[in-house]
Every structure is written in structure tokens, then in C-alpha cells.
């Protein structure tokens, strides 16, 4: 029996996501993990980066994947299941690949808990809406919104994965020093990995044509865009020879 769609929690969750993004932008402070963790919370309890990223990202994969697993199997799946599959694909990478390869700093437990709660809520919001609320016409697979959105999603994910690889190669295992990233979109921006993920979620919002995905794309733009700005400022202060033509997030513009 199909679970009924309740629009009120979908609207509330989407509004909360957008409001959280606006709040992050208003406060204009970098989230206190990675290179900012010592300054933000010098005495906080920490977990190794790999364990922390795995635990934090896991709900974003497990919750929507659990929803998907309960759906009937079909040779040609409806658009909603394919779109949620894209969401799961991103978080499969974040949970089982990125987290196990990262060479980041130990992660404050308080930010792990916050991230876990966020990922749980967002995974539930996106999965619930797509499977129980979204309705797509039979020709959605040929709609320009779907085609362009999926293209942007895949392009962004490719940029994100490639940029993560470049960043990992800057450190040997156990190192915590910083070097100037080179190659790929790092030639043009300091936050190439963030730009890739922002492109992903803009594409996802376009392909799903949904309020929850739009709210998440807006949150990602605020959160990751601000982080790219602070990374750029960090690099400029740390390295005298940092490329002056390199922008923070958008090539040649910002």
C-alpha cells in the first residue's frame, strides 16, 4: 500500500533547509572543521577524519537507500526512483569512498553530531518527497529539465571527485601541512571541489523540479560558497606566491 504524501512536513523541511542556508550566509563564519577546527574549538573531543566522515555521511545514503529498497523492482523505473538513485550515488561516494580515502584533520565530535542530524533529515526529506509525493509525466525522461539537470549533476560530481583526488595528493598519509592545489578547476578557483558539488545540486534541483531539492541546492550554495570564500582567503594569507588571478568559487568572477 502506497504511503500517503503529507505536504506540510515537506514544506516545513524545505523551509528549514533554505533558512539554515540563509543563516549560514548571514553569520559568515566557516564551519569549525578541517583547517578551522583548532581556532573554533581547540579543546573539543575529536574523531579520526575517516571515521567521522563515514558516520556523518552515512544517513544521507542509508535513509534514501532504505526507502528505495522498499519500492517494487521494474526494468524501466519511474523518474522519481532514478532521481533518488542519483542522490544515493553521490552519498555512496561520500560515505564509502571519500571518507575512507580522506587525509583530513581529526574531526570535532560536536560537528559530527550536527552533520549526522542534518544528513538524516535531508536524506529523509529528499527520499520521502520523491517516492511518496513527486508526480512526473510519462515523458519526463525526455524533458529538457531532466536531461540538463542530470548532465549538470554528472558534470558536477565528476568535478567534485577529480578535485578531491587533487587535494588528497597534496598530503602524504599522516601529514597535516597545506600546499597550493594545482590542476583541474583549481587553476581557476580555490574551491573547485565545492564548485563541483554546487553544480551537482543545482542539476539535481533542475532534474527533480522539486522544492526540497531547490532548498538543498540553495543551502549547498550558501554553505559551500562561504567555505570556498574562507579557503580562498586562507590560501592568500598563507602563501605569498598564491596565484593572484585565481578566484574563490566562480572562474574569472568571484
Amino acid at each position: 500500500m502506497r504511503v500517503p504524501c503529507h505536504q506540510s512536513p515537506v514544506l516545513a523541511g524545505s523551509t528549514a533547509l533554505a533558512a539554515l542556508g540563509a543563516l549560514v550566509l548571514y553569520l559568515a563564519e566557516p564551519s569549525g572543521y578541517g583547517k578551522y577546527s583548532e581556532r573554533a574549538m581547540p579543546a573539543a573531543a575529536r574523531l579520526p577524519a575517516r571515521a567521522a566522515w563515514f558516520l556523518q555521511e552515512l544517513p544521507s545514503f542509508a535513509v534514501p537507500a532504505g526507502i528505495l529498497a522498499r519500492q517494487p523492482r521494474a526494468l524501466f523505473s519511474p523518474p522519481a526512483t532514478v532521481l533518488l538513485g542519483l542522490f544515493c550515488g553521490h552519498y555512496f561516494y561520500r560515505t564509502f569512498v571519500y571518507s575512507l580515502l580522506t587525509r583530513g584533520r581529526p574531526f570535532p565530535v560536536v560537528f559530527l553530531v550536527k552533520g549526522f542530524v542534518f544528513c538524516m533529515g535531508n536524506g529523509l526529506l529528499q527520499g520521502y518527497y520523491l517516492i511518496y509525493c513527486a508526480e512526473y509525466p510519462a515523458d519526463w525522461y525526455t524533458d529538457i529539465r531532466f536531461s540538463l539537470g542530470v548532465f549538470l549533476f554528472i558534470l558536477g560530481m565528476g568535478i567534485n571527485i577529480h578535485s578531491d583526488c587533487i587535494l588528497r595528493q597534496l598530503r602524504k598519509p599522516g601529514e597535516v601541512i597545506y600546499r597550493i592545489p594545482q590542476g583541474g578547476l583549481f587553476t581557476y578557483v580555490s574551491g573547485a571541489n565545492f564548485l563541483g558539488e554546487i553544480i551537482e545540486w543545482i542539476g539535481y534541483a533542475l532534474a527533480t523540479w522539486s522544492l526540497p531539492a531547490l532548498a538543498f541546492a540553495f543551502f549547498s550554495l550558501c554553505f559551500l560558497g562561504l567555505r570556498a570564500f574562507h579557503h580562498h582567503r586562507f590560501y592568500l594569507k598563507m602563501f605569498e606566491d598564491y596565484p593572484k588571478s585565481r578566484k574563490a568559487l566562480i572562474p574569472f568572477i568571484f
Side-chain angles (χ1 to χ4, degrees), residues 155-237:
L155 173 65
M157 189 167 183
I159 293 171
N160 183 242
I161 292 173
H162 181 247
S163 301
D164 285 344
C165 182
I166 290 174
L167 291 174
R168 278 197 304 273
Q169 292 172 354
L170 295 177
R171 289 177 177 170
K172 297 177 182 179
E175 285 187 336
V176 292
I177 62 173
Y178 292 100
R179 298 183 176 94
I180 299 174
Q182 305 284 357
L185 277 181
F186 284 113
T187 305
Y188 306 101
V189 296
S190 299
N193 51 329
F194 304 131
L195 175 60
E197 191 163 349
I198 289 168
I199 292 172
E200 264 190 274
W201 298 124
I202 290 174
Y204 187 72
L206 184 60
T208 61
W209 206 246
S210 71
L211 182 61
L214 177 62
F216 184 42
F218 176 74
F219 171 83
S220 299
L221 176 62
C222 295
F223 183 85
L224 298 177
L226 182 65
R227 198 158 181 85
F229 169 77
H230 283 290
H231 273 36
H232 185 66
R233 192 165 65 174
F234 173 87
Y235 287 134
L236 287 172
K237 289 181 179 179

Side-chain angles (χ1 to χ4, degrees), residues 100-181:
L100 301 182
L101 295 176
T102 185
R103 295 172 181 173
R105 290 174 175 269
F107 204 98
V109 172
V110 63
F111 286 102
L112 164 61
V113 173
K114 291 179 180 179
F116 182 92
V117 172
F118 176 88
C119 289
M120 177 78 75
N122 187 51
L124 180 60
L125 174 64
Q126 305 299 333
Y128 175 83
Y129 176 82
L130 281 176
I131 297 304
Y132 301 119
C133 298
E135 296 181 0
Y136 295 102
D139 61 350
W140 188 249
Y141 284 129
T142 59
D143 191 289
I144 186 62
R145 290 167 291 182
F146 178 86
S147 303
L148 180 58
V150 171
F151 170 77
L152 289 174
F153 182 90
I154 294 172
L155 173 65
M157 189 167 183
I159 293 171
N160 183 242
I161 292 173
H162 181 247
S163 301
D164 285 344
C165 182
I166 290 174
L167 291 174
R168 278 197 304 273
Q169 292 172 354
L170 295 177
R171 289 177 177 170
K172 297 177 182 179
E175 285 187 336
V176 292
I177 62 173
Y178 292 100
R179 298 183 176 94
I180 299 174

